[in-house]
Amino acid sequence: ISDTMLPMLQILVVLLLTAGVAGIRRDYTIRGAIEVDTNENTVFLFMSKLYVLENIPCYYSQHAGKWDPAYANASYARIRDFANGDIITNVSSSIGFGFVSAFVDEHPAGGGASTLWLFGSECNRCPHSPSTPQGCIANRTVQWWKATDATMTTYTSGVAAGTAKTYNVEVARVTSTVQQQAVAGLPPHKYVMILEISPTLFLVNNAADGDLTSGWVPIPGVNNDFGVSSGGPSIRFSALDLYYYAIEGGSHVQLVRTKDFKTWEKSPNAPFLEPTELDAQVAPYAGFPAVAEQRMFRPMAGDNWTKWDHNSNDADVCCMTTDPAFQNTSLVIFGAGTQGAPPKPPLTKANHCANIVATASMGLPQLLARHFDPNL
């Protein structure tokens, strides 16, 4: 390679790494990591403030079991302030559970104040064995937690009646009319749930009082073939276009949508997320700049990003809301890492995964829709 060609090749490599696969258009900006070694995360808006729910595994360096025996040898859910990283609560009733996600019912069907729900699986992510994959009990269904007040520090909890076996689970509000749902061949419902294990991947709930502890029923006639690799699913209903958007993932995160759960549309602008050197930045959120060194993230940055950032997974988005402050902004959060495999030298197991945040200067309905039609 000549001296004159080398700078041009270097520029080309940077452009390819930044832009991803040719033809992929990003309507968001990847801001970087907010934490190392946590499992699935959800960013949520509650009472006009952003928070992050994190699933905490035993290999996390700040696991509560290091100082509180009640948490020893168990996974659990934690909620932090998204801006400064302060811990709001370790959800004690989630000890021994995993794959927990947050859902804010901003306008409950029965009226009343905004309500925070958590949904997860009876999967203790710490002890694994052939008989308990992912630490899950065989006869598990979905577990619910409901915050008793706006402090998010105390919860009631129980088994969500009518649900099925899963790993990941997420719930979304549906605001279409009964007539619109009938046209799509769907039963009346105000909420939708996505699961991760076939054959039951989608359930709906028509609770008139907003009670999500029971009343879940499978959607009849569902087509479970999305046309993309499945895993780590999330779901949103958009009143903008009456689509249900499902976020699925393998080594790359894909976005698909449907109006009837029978016909699925895969975005031509695929994938939605993929590994990139931008994942190896320190994001200005959750207090991470102050602790990135302590969390051993610095060795993961720069040229070392290819040694650990092999998969994009377990993505979620925020926020479907009527809050005026979030009509022109949205967030994406996802995992980046080796999916449990050792990273390449010189990195160690302590440098194998991070949770990444991206932001967009448009509301979430627009962000999802533009991934299918850039002219919107």
Side-chain angles (χ1 to χ4, degrees):
I1 300 174
S2 69
D3 291 341
T4 56
M5 291 179 61
L6 186 58
M8 296 177 63
L9 288 172
Q10 290 173 332
I11 292 172
L12 178 60
V13 168
V14 171
L15 288 173
L16 287 172
L17 290 174
T18 303
V21 178
I24 304 304
R25 186 195 72 258
R26 294 193 183 106
D27 292 317
Y28 53 79
T29 300
I30 296 176
R31 306 301 298 276
I34 62 165
E35 186 54 287
V36 171
D37 280 352
T38 55
N39 289 152
E40 302 82 8
N41 285 199
T42 310
V43 174
F44 64 95
L45 183 69
F46 186 54
M47 303 296 184
S48 299
K49 188 172 182 178
L50 285 172
Y51 299 91
V52 57
L53 177 137
E54 300 164 308
N55 284 274
I56 306 298
C58 281
Y59 55 75
Y60 176 58
S61 65
Q62 306 299 305
H63 189 281
K66 296 181 183 296
W67 55 84
D68 186 342
Y71 289 83
N73 302 312
S75 55
Y76 61 94
R78 179 179 79 175
I79 295 175
R80 290 195 297 149
D81 186 305
F82 182 75
N84 59 32
D86 289 350
I87 296 176
I88 305 301
T89 187
N90 293 319
V91 183
S92 60
S93 55
S94 72
I95 293 173
F97 290 82
F99 301 103
V100 181
S101 63
F103 163 60
V104 174
D105 196 359
E106 192 173 76
H107 302 290
S114 179
T115 304
L116 172 64
W117 294 83
L118 311 179
F119 294 91
S121 300
E122 196 166 350
C123 299
N124 186 349
R125 308 291 294 281
C126 292
H128 286 214
S129 72
S131 62
T132 58
Q134 297 290 338
C136 302
I137 66 169
N139 61 343
R140 69 193 180 278
T141 53
V142 174
Q143 185 84 6
W144 61 265
W145 294 261
K146 182 181 180 182
T148 58
D149 55 39
T151 67
M152 300 181 292
T153 55
T154 57
Y155 295 80
T156 55
S157 65
V159 174
T163 58
K165 180 188 296 188
T166 191
Y167 296 111
N168 282 284
V169 52
E170 190 169 64
V171 169
R173 185 75 159 93
V174 180
T175 55
S176 52
T177 66
V178 171
Q179 291 77 15
Q180 289 167 331
Q181 293 168 8
V183 169
L186 297 173
H189 61 284
K190 297 176 176 65
Y191 305 89
V192 62
M193 177 185 286
I194 189 169
L195 305 180
E196 197 173 12
I197 298 178
S198 292
T200 305
L201 295 183
F202 300 98
L203 302 104
V204 290
N205 195 315
N206 199 38
D209 57 359
D211 180 7
L212 304 183
T213 65
S214 61
W216 293 99
V217 296
I219 300 175
V222 166
N223 174 14
N224 286 338
D225 183 3
F226 313 126
V228 300
S229 298
S230 61
S234 299
I235 194 165
R236 293 294 185 278
F237 171 79
S238 176
L240 176 69
D241 50 26
L242 303 183
Y243 275 106
Y244 300 79
Y245 287 85
I247 305 172
E248 296 281 349
S251 59
H252 296 64
V253 173
Q254 306 282 359
L255 184 63
V256 295
R257 67 182 184 179
T258 184
K259 288 189 174 182
D260 58 9
F261 292 91
K262 298 177 180 64
T263 302
W264 292 92
E265 180 183 358
K266 177 182 175 182
S267 170
N269 184 36
F272 184 55
L273 294 161
E274 62 184 346
T276 165
E277 65 177 358
L278 301 176
D279 298 343
Q281 304 173 107
V282 175
Y285 307 117
F288 194 56
V291 299
E293 192 79 33
Q294 177 193 22
R295 300 288 200 271
M296 299 182 68
F297 183 73
R298 298 296 182 186
M300 301 166 69
D303 293 340
N304 280 343
W305 76 274
T306 58
K307 295 175 170 55
W308 63 273
D309 192 1
H310 305 161
N311 297 276
S312 303
N313 52 75
D314 297 286
D316 204 356
V317 290
C318 184
C319 308
M320 287 294 184
T321 177
T322 58
D323 191 312
F326 285 84
Q327 298 312 297
N328 295 299
T329 187
S330 50
L331 300 98
V332 182
I333 189 166
F334 60 99
T338 63
Q339 286 287 56
K344 296 178 181 178
L347 302 184
T348 67
K349 177 68 173 179
N351 313 109
H352 81 289
C353 65
N355 276 283
I356 314 301
V357 166
T359 60
S361 299
M362 63 187 77
L364 183 56
Q366 289 75 24
L367 176 65
L368 297 175
R370 274 182 55 83
H371 201 67
F372 291 80
D373 184 355
N375 297 315
L376 294 175

Short mmCIF file of all heavy atoms in Angstrom, two decimals, residues 299-339:
data_model
loop_
_atom_site.label_atom_id
_atom_site.label_comp_id
_atom_site.label_asym_id
_atom_site.label_seq_id
_atom_site.Cartn_x
_atom_site.Cartn_y
_atom_site.Cartn_z
N PRO A 299 -10.25 -0.33 29.65
CA PRO A 299 -9.57 -1.24 28.72
C PRO A 299 -10.43 -1.70 27.56
O PRO A 299 -9.91 -2.21 26.56
CB PRO A 299 -9.18 -2.42 29.62
CG PRO A 299 -9.19 -1.88 31.00
CD PRO A 299 -10.27 -0.85 31.02
N MET A 300 -11.76 -1.53 27.66
CA MET A 300 -12.67 -1.97 26.62
C MET A 300 -12.82 -0.94 25.51
O MET A 300 -13.41 -1.22 24.47
CB MET A 300 -14.04 -2.28 27.22
CG MET A 300 -14.01 -3.35 28.30
SD MET A 300 -15.53 -3.45 29.30
CE MET A 300 -16.70 -4.07 28.11
N ALA A 301 -12.32 0.26 25.72
CA ALA A 301 -12.50 1.35 24.77
C ALA A 301 -11.44 1.30 23.66
O ALA A 301 -10.53 0.46 23.66
CB ALA A 301 -12.43 2.69 25.50
N GLY A 302 -11.57 2.23 22.71
CA GLY A 302 -10.59 2.34 21.65
C GLY A 302 -10.53 1.11 20.77
O GLY A 302 -11.54 0.47 20.47
N ASP A 303 -9.31 0.73 20.38
CA ASP A 303 -9.12 -0.39 19.45
C ASP A 303 -9.55 -1.73 20.04
O ASP A 303 -9.72 -2.70 19.31
CB ASP A 303 -7.66 -0.47 19.02
CG ASP A 303 -7.24 0.73 18.16
OD1 ASP A 303 -8.13 1.39 17.61
OD2 ASP A 303 -6.02 0.98 18.05
N ASN A 304 -9.72 -1.80 21.35
CA ASN A 304 -10.10 -3.07 21.98
C ASN A 304 -11.59 -3.40 21.84
O ASN A 304 -12.03 -4.46 22.29
CB ASN A 304 -9.75 -3.04 23.47
CG ASN A 304 -8.27 -3.33 23.72
OD1 ASN A 304 -7.58 -3.84 22.85
ND2 ASN A 304 -7.79 -2.97 24.90
N TRP A 305 -12.37 -2.52 21.23
CA TRP A 305 -13.81 -2.77 21.17
C TRP A 305 -14.16 -4.06 20.43
O TRP A 305 -15.12 -4.75 20.77
CB TRP A 305 -14.54 -1.58 20.53
CG TRP A 305 -14.43 -1.47 19.05
CD1 TRP A 305 -13.44 -0.86 18.34
CD2 TRP A 305 -15.35 -1.97 18.08
NE1 TRP A 305 -13.68 -0.95 16.99
CE2 TRP A 305 -14.85 -1.62 16.80
CE3 TRP A 305 -16.56 -2.67 18.16
CZ2 TRP A 305 -15.51 -1.97 15.61
CZ3 TRP A 305 -17.23 -3.01 16.98
CH2 TRP A 305 -16.69 -2.66 15.73
N THR A 306 -13.34 -4.43 19.43
CA THR A 306 -13.63 -5.66 18.66
C THR A 306 -13.36 -6.92 19.47
O THR A 306 -13.79 -8.00 19.07
CB THR A 306 -12.79 -5.69 17.38
OG1 THR A 306 -11.39 -5.63 17.73
CG2 THR A 306 -13.12 -4.52 16.48
N LYS A 307 -12.68 -6.79 20.59
CA LYS A 307 -12.34 -7.97 21.40
C LYS A 307 -13.48 -8.40 22.31
O LYS A 307 -13.45 -9.50 22.86
CB LYS A 307 -11.07 -7.68 22.21
CG LYS A 307 -9.83 -7.47 21.33
CD LYS A 307 -8.62 -7.08 22.13
CE LYS A 307 -7.35 -7.10 21.29
NZ LYS A 307 -7.42 -6.28 20.08
N TRP A 308 -14.48 -7.52 22.49
CA TRP A 308 -15.60 -7.88 23.37
C TRP A 308 -16.96 -7.59 22.75
O TRP A 308 -17.95 -8.23 23.12
CB TRP A 308 -15.50 -7.12 24.70
CG TRP A 308 -15.59 -5.62 24.56
CD1 TRP A 308 -14.56 -4.75 24.32
CD2 TRP A 308 -16.77 -4.82 24.65
NE1 TRP A 308 -15.02 -3.46 24.24
CE2 TRP A 308 -16.38 -3.47 24.45
CE3 TRP A 308 -18.12 -5.10 24.89
CZ2 TRP A 308 -17.28 -2.40 24.46
CZ3 TRP A 308 -19.02 -4.04 24.90
CH2 TRP A 308 -18.60 -2.72 24.70
N ASP A 309 -17.05 -6.65 21.82
CA ASP A 309 -18.35 -6.23 21.29
C ASP A 309 -18.72 -7.08 20.08
O ASP A 309 -18.63 -6.65 18.93
CB ASP A 309 -18.28 -4.74 20.91
CG ASP A 309 -19.66 -4.16 20.62
OD1 ASP A 309 -20.64 -4.89 20.72
OD2 ASP A 309 -19.73 -2.96 20.27
N HIS A 310 -19.15 -8.32 20.35
CA HIS A 310 -19.45 -9.27 19.29
C HIS A 310 -20.95 -9.37 18.98
O HIS A 310 -21.33 -9.85 17.92
CB HIS A 310 -18.94 -10.67 19.67
CG HIS A 310 -17.49 -10.71 20.03
ND1 HIS A 310 -16.90 -11.73 20.74
CD2 HIS A 310 -16.49 -9.83 19.76
CE1 HIS A 310 -15.63 -11.49 20.92
NE2 HIS A 310 -15.35 -10.35 20.34
N ASN A 311 -21.78 -8.97 19.94
CA ASN A 311 -23.22 -9.12 19.80
C ASN A 311 -23.94 -7.88 20.31
O ASN A 311 -23.56 -7.31 21.34
CB ASN A 311 -23.73 -10.32 20.60
CG ASN A 311 -23.17 -11.63 20.12
OD1 ASN A 311 -23.69 -12.23 19.19
ND2 ASN A 311 -22.10 -12.10 20.76
N SER A 312 -24.99 -7.48 19.61
CA SER A 312 -25.94 -6.50 20.13
C SER A 312 -27.20 -7.29 20.51
O SER A 312 -27.66 -8.13 19.74
CB SER A 312 -26.28 -5.45 19.08
OG SER A 312 -25.11 -4.79 18.63
N ASN A 313 -27.75 -7.02 21.69
CA ASN A 313 -28.84 -7.88 22.17
C ASN A 313 -29.74 -7.16 23.17
O ASN A 313 -29.39 -6.09 23.68
CB ASN A 313 -28.26 -9.15 22.81
CG ASN A 313 -27.22 -8.83 23.87
OD1 ASN A 313 -27.57 -8.41 24.97
ND2 ASN A 313 -25.95 -8.99 23.55
N ASP A 314 -30.91 -7.75 23.41
CA ASP A 314 -31.82 -7.33 24.49
C ASP A 314 -32.10 -5.84 24.48
O ASP A 314 -31.97 -5.15 25.50
CB ASP A 314 -31.25 -7.76 25.85
CG ASP A 314 -31.13 -9.27 25.96
OD1 ASP A 314 -32.18 -9.92 26.12
OD2 ASP A 314 -30.00 -9.79 25.88
N ALA A 315 -32.49 -5.34 23.32
CA ALA A 315 -32.74 -3.90 23.18
C ALA A 315 -34.11 -3.50 23.70
O ALA A 315 -35.06 -4.28 23.69
CB ALA A 315 -32.60 -3.49 21.72
N ASP A 316 -34.20 -2.25 24.14
CA ASP A 316 -35.47 -1.68 24.55
C ASP A 316 -35.46 -0.20 24.18
O ASP A 316 -34.40 0.36 23.86
CB ASP A 316 -35.69 -1.85 26.05
CG ASP A 316 -37.17 -1.82 26.43
OD1 ASP A 316 -38.01 -1.60 25.54
OD2 ASP A 316 -37.48 -2.01 27.61
N VAL A 317 -36.64 0.42 24.20
CA VAL A 317 -36.77 1.81 23.76
C VAL A 317 -37.64 2.59 24.74
O VAL A 317 -38.43 2.02 25.49
CB VAL A 317 -37.38 1.89 22.34
CG1 VAL A 317 -36.40 1.39 21.28
CG2 VAL A 317 -38.69 1.09 22.26
N CYS A 318 -37.50 3.90 24.70
CA CYS A 318 -38.27 4.79 25.56
C CYS A 318 -38.45 6.12 24.82
O CYS A 318 -37.51 6.57 24.15
CB CYS A 318 -37.51 5.03 26.87
SG CYS A 318 -38.37 6.03 28.11
N CYS A 319 -39.59 6.75 24.82
CA CYS A 319 -40.71 6.48 25.69
C CYS A 319 -42.00 6.75 24.91
O CYS A 319 -42.10 7.78 24.23
CB CYS A 319 -40.68 7.41 26.89
SG CYS A 319 -39.09 7.46 27.79
N MET A 320 -42.96 5.82 24.97
CA MET A 320 -44.30 6.07 24.47
C MET A 320 -45.05 6.87 25.54
O MET A 320 -45.49 6.30 26.54
CB MET A 320 -45.03 4.77 24.15
CG MET A 320 -44.54 4.05 22.91
SD MET A 320 -44.90 5.01 21.41
CE MET A 320 -44.33 3.85 20.16
N THR A 321 -45.16 8.15 25.35
CA THR A 321 -45.65 9.01 26.42
C THR A 321 -46.37 10.22 25.86
O THR A 321 -46.14 10.62 24.71
CB THR A 321 -44.46 9.49 27.29
OG1 THR A 321 -44.93 10.37 28.30
CG2 THR A 321 -43.42 10.21 26.45
N THR A 322 -47.22 10.81 26.69
CA THR A 322 -47.85 12.08 26.34
C THR A 322 -47.12 13.24 27.00
O THR A 322 -47.54 14.39 26.85
CB THR A 322 -49.33 12.10 26.79
OG1 THR A 322 -49.39 11.87 28.21
CG2 THR A 322 -50.12 11.02 26.07
N ASP A 323 -46.05 12.97 27.72
CA ASP A 323 -45.27 14.01 28.39
C ASP A 323 -44.70 14.96 27.34
O ASP A 323 -43.98 14.54 26.43
CB ASP A 323 -44.12 13.37 29.18
CG ASP A 323 -43.43 14.35 30.11
OD1 ASP A 323 -43.10 15.47 29.66
OD2 ASP A 323 -43.20 14.01 31.29
N PRO A 324 -45.01 16.27 27.42
CA PRO A 324 -44.55 17.23 26.40
C PRO A 324 -43.04 17.25 26.23
O PRO A 324 -42.54 17.51 25.13
CB PRO A 324 -45.06 18.57 26.93
CG PRO A 324 -46.20 18.24 27.82
CD PRO A 324 -45.85 16.92 28.46
N ALA A 325 -42.29 16.95 27.28
CA ALA A 325 -40.83 17.01 27.20
C ALA A 325 -40.23 15.90 26.37
O ALA A 325 -39.04 15.96 26.01
CB ALA A 325 -40.24 16.98 28.61
N PHE A 326 -41.03 14.87 26.02
CA PHE A 326 -40.49 13.73 25.30
C PHE A 326 -41.17 13.50 23.95
O PHE A 326 -41.17 12.40 23.43
CB PHE A 326 -40.58 12.46 26.17
CG PHE A 326 -39.56 12.43 27.26
CD1 PHE A 326 -39.80 13.08 28.46
CD2 PHE A 326 -38.34 11.79 27.08
CE1 PHE A 326 -38.85 13.08 29.47
CE2 PHE A 326 -37.38 11.78 28.07
CZ PHE A 326 -37.63 12.43 29.27
N GLN A 327 -41.74 14.55 23.39
CA GLN A 327 -42.35 14.43 22.07
C GLN A 327 -41.32 14.54 20.95
O GLN A 327 -41.60 14.16 19.81
CB GLN A 327 -43.44 15.49 21.90
CG GLN A 327 -44.59 15.36 22.90
CD GLN A 327 -45.13 13.94 23.01
OE1 GLN A 327 -45.64 13.38 22.04
NE2 GLN A 327 -44.99 13.34 24.19
N ASN A 328 -40.15 15.04 21.27
CA ASN A 328 -39.10 15.19 20.26
C ASN A 328 -37.79 14.58 20.71
O ASN A 328 -36.71 15.00 20.28
CB ASN A 328 -38.89 16.68 19.94
CG ASN A 328 -40.11 17.30 19.28
OD1 ASN A 328 -40.54 16.88 18.21
ND2 ASN A 328 -40.70 18.28 19.94
N THR A 329 -37.88 13.57 21.55
CA THR A 329 -36.68 12.85 21.96
C THR A 329 -37.05 11.42 22.32
O THR A 329 -38.18 11.15 22.74
CB THR A 329 -36.02 13.55 23.17
OG1 THR A 329 -34.77 12.91 23.45
CG2 THR A 329 -36.90 13.48 24.40
N SER A 330 -36.14 10.51 22.12
CA SER A 330 -36.36 9.11 22.48
C SER A 330 -35.01 8.46 22.76
O SER A 330 -33.96 9.02 22.44
CB SER A 330 -37.10 8.36 21.36
OG SER A 330 -36.49 8.57 20.11
N LEU A 331 -35.07 7.30 23.39
CA LEU A 331 -33.86 6.59 23.78
C LEU A 331 -33.94 5.13 23.37
O LEU A 331 -35.01 4.53 23.31
CB LEU A 331 -33.64 6.67 25.30
CG LEU A 331 -33.48 8.05 25.91
CD1 LEU A 331 -34.81 8.52 26.51
CD2 LEU A 331 -32.41 8.05 26.99
N VAL A 332 -32.76 4.56 23.12
CA VAL A 332 -32.60 3.13 22.87
C VAL A 332 -31.56 2.62 23.86
O VAL A 332 -30.54 3.28 24.08
CB VAL A 332 -32.12 2.85 21.44
CG1 VAL A 332 -32.01 1.35 21.19
CG2 VAL A 332 -33.05 3.50 20.41
N ILE A 333 -31.81 1.48 24.48
CA ILE A 333 -30.83 0.86 25.38
C ILE A 333 -30.68 -0.60 24.97
O ILE A 333 -31.66 -1.26 24.61
CB ILE A 333 -31.24 1.00 26.85
CG1 ILE A 333 -30.10 0.56 27.77
CG2 ILE A 333 -32.53 0.25 27.17
CD1 ILE A 333 -30.27 0.97 29.23
N PHE A 334 -29.44 -1.10 25.00
CA PHE A 334 -29.21 -2.47 24.56
C PHE A 334 -27.92 -3.00 25.15
O PHE A 334 -27.06 -2.24 25.62
CB PHE A 334 -29.17 -2.55 23.03
CG PHE A 334 -28.09 -1.72 22.38
CD1 PHE A 334 -26.88 -2.29 21.97
CD2 PHE A 334 -28.28 -0.36 22.16
CE1 PHE A 334 -25.89 -1.52 21.37
CE2 PHE A 334 -27.30 0.41 21.54
CZ PHE A 334 -26.10 -0.17 21.15
N GLY A 335 -27.78 -4.32 25.12
CA GLY A 335 -26.57 -4.96 25.58
C GLY A 335 -25.58 -5.12 24.45
O GLY A 335 -25.96 -5.33 23.29
N ALA A 336 -24.31 -5.00 24.77
CA ALA A 336 -23.23 -5.25 23.81
C ALA A 336 -22.21 -6.13 24.51
O ALA A 336 -21.86 -5.87 25.66
CB ALA A 336 -22.59 -3.95 23.35
N GLY A 337 -21.76 -7.19 23.84
CA GLY A 337 -20.78 -8.03 24.49
C GLY A 337 -20.59 -9.36 23.82
O GLY A 337 -20.87 -9.52 22.62
N THR A 338 -20.15 -10.34 24.60
CA THR A 338 -19.79 -11.66 24.07
C THR A 338 -20.88 -12.70 24.30
O THR A 338 -20.69 -13.85 23.93
CB THR A 338 -18.51 -12.15 24.75
OG1 THR A 338 -18.76 -12.31 26.16
CG2 THR A 338 -17.36 -11.15 24.56
N GLN A 339 -21.99 -12.30 24.93
CA GLN A 339 -23.06 -13.24 25.31
C GLN A 339 -22.50 -14.39 26.15
O GLN A 339 -22.85 -15.55 25.96
CB GLN A 339 -23.76 -13.79 24.06
CG GLN A 339 -24.69 -12.81 23.37
CD GLN A 339 -25.99 -12.56 24.14
OE1 GLN A 339 -25.98 -12.18 25.30
NE2 GLN A 339 -27.12 -12.78 23.48
#
